[in-house]
Amino acid sequence: MNHDTAARKAVASIKADEWTTCYTRPAIRNYFDFWKDTIFIPLEVEHHFTKPIDGSSTQLHGYVDTIGYYKSDLGKAVVNLEHKTGAYDANSDWNVWNNLAGVSGQIDLYDFGCNSDFDLSRHEIDYIKIPNFKPKRIPVGKDSEEPGTKSEVLNLKTYLGEPISDASHHFYESIGVKENPELLEIRIDQAIEANPEKYYHRFGGILRNEQNRQETKARLAQLMLEQERAKQDAANGLDPYYKNSNSCYAYGSWCQYLNLCNGTETTSAFDVKKPRNTGRTSFSRLSVWNSCRRKYKHQYIDGLQDPEHDPNALRKGSVVHEALEVFYREIKEQEQLNNESN
């Protein structure tokens, strides 16, 4: 198995604007170095499951990130490795609580949804901290021997000892004052290399048993009943889709419907894309329902989409997630070829 080949393909697959790339590429590149000796063999990547919900025509569906086993485990115990990104330090006590408590509901649903397909031994949260550095003003510096200065950039064509492109060199010859994406990426890369435990951690030993699955099964049936009652109440002229003000700010950004709820914006500011009635629900839909029914109505019933809404934290997380998918698919394909040749 060629870990480095898979890692290079994943890094090369990152297609984003230059500012998003300068944060996500170092996070991905160092992730592969950090876990290089802890080899995880994927059995499935983005495994899709569907599961009926009692008392409802709606089915639960979802995509599980990576299901596999650790190569060092001779028993090949099957693990669900869920990739998560965030802003907290990976080695902080707060992050332990935030990850285990914050994703508990998702683990419940995913275990319920795919346990019949795989004999899952446990779940693990594969956490990656997204760097939150800001571009800083580059000091002039006394001479080119002083790293991280404009003198170094102009005289040596390096930044913090790393070579830079002709484009960046010309930029600082003319108008450059603050770090551009290339220079910021160099600083982020070195910061992660110096303290990788701050950026990567796997929270293991998350267990679910048959009792947990039965509780999840009952909870899903109750949620479907709540949603059906809400439809009936709305048809009778009531307003069951109430606003939860505590959910207006989440995941590092304001809700895209905040101004609409506050009355400072109308539905004309949104694109309308009516959701297809597929008879399916998901963790994302249920999370919105549980957090704010008003948002659920705007998003999943009215189909309102803000054309300018693109939360920065979510965009970076998506880029990291997509790169990890490329990596683990490549590892899976290599493993299959190796097995066939043997």
Side-chain angles (χ1 to χ4, degrees):
M1 183 194 312
N2 195 326
H3 176 282
D4 293 340
T5 298
R8 284 194 296 270
K9 284 188 176 182
V11 172
S13 74
I14 295 176
K15 307 296 181 187
D17 65 87
E18 58 184 359
W19 285 107
T20 300
T21 299
C22 82
Y23 288 97
T24 55
R25 189 158 53 196
I28 283 294
R29 189 162 47 227
N30 285 282
Y31 170 92
F32 298 135
D33 288 340
F34 187 76
W35 294 113
K36 188 172 184 177
D37 296 327
T38 308
I39 301 174
F40 189 82
I41 308 297
L43 298 172
E44 289 290 340
V45 180
E46 290 296 309
H47 172 69
H48 181 242
F49 68 84
T50 57
K51 195 85 168 182
I53 299 175
D54 282 358
S56 174
S57 60
T58 300
Q59 288 190 321
L60 174 70
H61 89 110
Y63 292 88
V64 181
D65 287 342
T66 312
I67 295 176
Y69 60 91
Y70 286 98
K71 191 170 184 177
S72 58
D73 181 7
L74 298 179
K76 296 185 177 181
V78 180
V79 178
N80 167 28
L81 190 65
E82 277 294 311
H83 313 301
K84 297 296 177 186
T85 58
Y88 298 109
D89 290 352
N91 54 2
S92 71
D93 291 339
W94 166 254
N95 197 29
V96 173
W97 178 89
N98 183 63
N99 270 281
L100 297 185
V103 303
S104 178
Q106 183 177 8
I107 294 298
D108 288 341
L109 294 183
Y110 282 11
D111 182 89
F112 172 75
C114 68
N115 189 262
S116 58
D117 300 326
F118 299 92
D119 184 17
L120 294 173
S121 66
R122 65 186 186 277
H123 303 265
E124 293 187 3
I125 304 302
D126 184 24
Y127 179 78
I128 300 175
K129 172 186 166 74
I130 300 293
N132 55 3
F133 291 66
K134 302 296 182 184
K136 70 176 186 179
R137 187 183 184 92
I138 302 176
V140 174
K142 295 179 180 179
D143 55 54
S144 58
E145 299 299 320
E146 193 173 353
T149 64
K150 200 166 183 177
S151 295
E152 180 199 7
V153 170
L154 296 179
N155 296 323
L156 300 181
K157 273 187 71 174
T158 64
Y159 185 64
L160 298 173
E162 296 294 329
I164 63 172
S165 66
D166 289 338
S168 284
H169 186 254
H170 294 326
F171 175 68
Y172 290 102
E173 281 183 321
S174 54
I175 61 173
V177 176
K178 285 188 173 183
E179 290 172 319
N180 68 359
E182 182 181 2
L183 270 59
L184 179 58
E185 180 173 344
I186 290 172
R187 183 159 64 94
I188 291 173
D189 204 37
Q190 293 186 359
I192 297 176
E193 286 180 359
N195 189 9
E197 289 79 11
K198 182 178 178 179
Y199 293 88
Y200 311 107
H201 188 73
R202 286 181 181 168
F203 301 92
I206 306 173
L207 306 177
R208 293 294 185 269
N209 56 33
E210 188 56 33
Q211 180 181 342
N212 298 136
R213 293 176 199 118
Q214 291 303 317
E215 292 170 353
T216 298
K217 183 178 180 180
R219 188 161 59 249
L220 281 169
Q222 179 61 34
L223 288 170
M224 293 302 99
L225 183 60
E226 289 177 8
Q227 292 187 2
E228 187 58 37
R229 286 174 177 169
K231 289 180 185 178
Q232 295 173 5
D233 288 345
N236 292 328
L238 302 176
D239 183 14
Y241 301 107
Y242 45 82
K243 172 185 172 182
N244 177 13
S245 299
N246 292 326
S247 296
C248 293
Y249 185 84
Y251 304 109
S253 63
W254 292 100
C255 173
Q256 60 180 314
Y257 306 111
L258 180 64
N259 291 335
L260 180 61
C261 291
N262 289 341
T264 57
E265 204 168 51
T266 66
T267 55
S268 62
F270 294 81
D271 293 336
V272 178
K273 185 178 180 181
K274 286 289 185 182
R276 293 179 299 168
N277 184 15
T278 60
R280 299 193 303 187
T281 192
S282 64
F283 170 72
S284 298
R285 281 179 174 251
L286 295 173
S287 294
V288 174
W289 172 263
N290 287 326
S291 65
C292 181
R293 294 191 181 187
R294 181 73 56 81
K295 181 178 180 179
Y296 182 91
K297 179 179 183 297
H298 290 326
Q299 185 169 345
Y300 294 114
I301 298 176
D302 300 335
L304 301 182
Q305 295 183 352
D306 185 348
E308 298 180 357
H309 185 71
D310 186 16
N312 193 43
L314 295 182
R315 184 170 67 251
K316 292 174 184 174
S318 296
V319 170
V320 168
H321 192 100
E322 289 164 4
L324 290 176
E325 181 180 345
V326 170
F327 172 77
Y328 283 108
R329 284 194 188 280
E330 179 66 20
I331 293 293
K332 179 187 173 185
E333 290 175 7
Q334 289 183 17
E335 187 69 11
Q336 288 174 339
L337 289 174
N338 289 340
N339 291 337
E340 289 171 4
S341 64
N342 293 331

